[in-house]
Amino acid sequence: MVPAIALATACGSSDSSSSSSAEAPSSAFPDKPATGSPIKIGLINPEGGPAVSQPSNREAAEAVVKYANANLGGIAGHPIQLVTCAAKEDPASNRDCANQMVESKVSAVVVTTTAYGDAMVPVITGAGIPYLTPAGASGAEMTTPGAFALTGGFPGTLKSMAVYAAGKGYKKVTAFVTDSGAAPATAKTIGGAAFGAAGIDLQVVPIPLGTPDATPQVSSGISGNVGAIAVVGDATMCTSVVKALGTLGATQDKMLIQPCLDPATVEAVGDAMNGAHVFTTADLVSNDPEAVLYRSVMKKYSPNTDLGGYTYTGYQGMLGLVRAAQGVTADPNAAAVSSAIKSAQNVVLPAGHGITFTCNASALAQLPSICSTQLVTVTVSDGKPTDPQVTK
């Protein structure tokens, strides 16, 4: 998986999903081509690995580059020249991608989602290049100077889940987490602290990559008066866990993340998804202006790309960078881009249902690279995300 622990998730409201064909106004696509000198921006995306490959994330980022260069004046007037690298989601491959970015002398790197931020951040930021991700999953992504995680990522999601569980009066929660990269360790340390502070015992059950039937692990994990379960993994893992919950007749409250809303997962698990609560940073299907813009940009510049799954991470990360770096003046080098990102205030998070971010280390003191702690929560009804609510 790519721990979505970066976490965000497609969401929307039941009363607006029927009109999700709404189009962004023409004013969202002004004729404003970038005419200055090019600015190299790196993109690292999980593709071609044995366990994970998400080319649609890259396609979404490429769509943003086309949109920015044609309609937004690029970055401060400079057309974006994209340098991409497909990471196979193992330390060596991801580190190689990081080195390629340094060798290419890019001015910033956008990482869509990864379990191996710890392998890449030191290389990229060590070269003075800003590292930006929609949501961080590793310690390095959330604490390293020069790294920027636009949303609260895994820690923010775990904290919100803990608050929700406490409000329901649960005393014990089990988190099923993909056994990949830093995911299980982060769940145990940060999750344990968040749930512990709420008076809840959290047990973490790792699920090996590619597990087709998680019934044995799920059966063990829900024993002993567990009030709720959390699922942190890709669509395949979520399908395996939620199907097992249905098979076992489990009645525990379900707290999920974005990949669980993948259409294939929703179809595979059927009614077992209903009533689940999803914790996310992206609204992709409502008529909120940012959700409409997401669909409109993708329709115009990448019409054949599937908008589900983690696709939004390429869009959110790349357009987030474009918006945050508009303050660049003179030479758009790495130092200038980093300074612009740090100086930008209350930047609208792409597809974020009104969430804004500020990357000045003030959002979460103990994790200074996090730029916002706001999240969107939705409830699944008839297989669809409904009632999006922005929470802190």
Side-chain angles (χ1 to χ4, degrees):
M1 125 180 168
V2 173
I5 347 196
L7 284 0
T9 80
C11 65
S13 61
S14 57
D15 61 358
S16 62
S17 59
S18 61
S19 55
S20 61
S21 60
E23 298 280 347
S26 58
S27 59
F29 294 90
D31 182 15
K32 188 181 179 182
T35 59
S37 57
I39 176 174
K40 284 186 179 181
I41 300 297
L43 177 72
I44 299 176
N45 182 60
E47 290 188 58
V52 60
S53 186
Q54 299 170 353
S56 63
N57 307 355
R58 169 182 46 77
E59 292 168 6
E62 292 170 342
V64 169
V65 170
K66 294 175 184 177
Y67 172 56
N69 286 345
N71 305 115
L72 303 179
I75 291 179
H78 300 274
I80 299 168
Q81 180 181 333
L82 197 61
V83 179
T84 63
C85 185
K88 293 180 173 58
E89 281 302 289
D90 64 64
S93 174
N94 286 52
R95 192 176 299 111
D96 180 62
C97 278
N99 284 318
Q100 288 184 40
M101 296 297 140
V102 175
E103 293 166 3
S104 297
K105 298 181 179 179
V106 299
S107 293
V109 176
V110 173
V111 177
T112 58
T113 183
T114 183
Y116 294 96
D118 285 341
M120 297 189 291
V121 171
V123 175
I124 293 169
T125 60
I129 300 171
Y131 174 112
L132 184 145
T133 182
S138 67
E141 291 174 300
M142 296 178 281
T143 61
T144 304
F148 304 98
L150 300 186
T151 67
F154 203 6
T157 299
L158 291 169
K159 181 179 178 182
S160 292
M161 287 180 171
V163 170
Y164 169 81
K168 292 291 186 179
Y170 302 136
K171 297 301 181 183
K172 188 173 182 180
V173 171
T174 295
F176 298 101
V177 180
T178 297
D179 195 0
S180 175
T186 302
K188 290 177 182 178
T189 55
I190 295 179
F195 280 84
I200 301 169
D201 176 32
L202 176 70
Q203 65 172 335
V204 176
V205 178
I207 305 293
L209 286 169
T211 299
D213 182 5
T215 301
Q217 294 96 326
V218 172
S219 178
S220 174
I222 62 176
S223 63
N225 298 317
V226 171
I229 63 94
V231 180
V232 178
D234 66 0
T236 300
M237 181 267 209
C238 186
T239 300
S240 179
V241 171
V242 177
K243 285 183 72 173
L245 290 167
T247 298
L248 295 166
T251 59
Q252 284 83 1
D253 202 348
K254 292 180 285 292
M255 301 182 290
L256 312 177
I257 63 170
Q258 184 275 334
C260 295
L261 290 178
D262 183 278
T265 296
V266 173
E267 181 178 357
V269 303
D271 292 343
M273 186 76 74
N274 285 337
H277 299 278
V278 181
F279 296 75
T280 171
T281 58
D283 167 11
L284 309 183
V285 300
S286 81
N287 278 341
D288 178 86
E290 281 295 316
V292 173
L293 181 63
Y294 168 70
R295 297 192 301 271
S296 299
V297 168
M298 294 302 295
K299 180 179 179 180
K300 182 176 179 67
Y301 290 111
S302 193
N304 296 321
T305 297
D306 183 352
L307 302 188
Y310 276 110
T311 300
Y312 79 90
T313 61
Y315 175 91
Q316 194 171 70
M318 188 60 65
L319 188 53
L321 171 65
V322 170
R323 290 177 174 177
Q326 287 300 330
V328 168
T329 57
D331 182 20
N333 56 32
V337 172
S338 183
S339 179
I341 295 171
K342 293 175 184 177
S343 299
Q345 300 285 311
N346 300 316
V347 181
V348 175
L349 180 71
H353 202 78
I355 292 173
T356 63
F357 66 88
T358 299
C359 299
N360 61 1
S362 64
L364 197 59
Q366 61 270 41
L367 298 172
S369 295
I370 286 179
C371 304
S372 174
T373 58
Q374 293 177 296
L375 290 173
V376 176
T377 60
V378 299
T379 302
V380 179
S381 178
D382 293 328
K384 296 181 175 61
T386 66
D387 191 27
Q389 302 289 329
V390 174
T391 62
K392 290 187 177 181

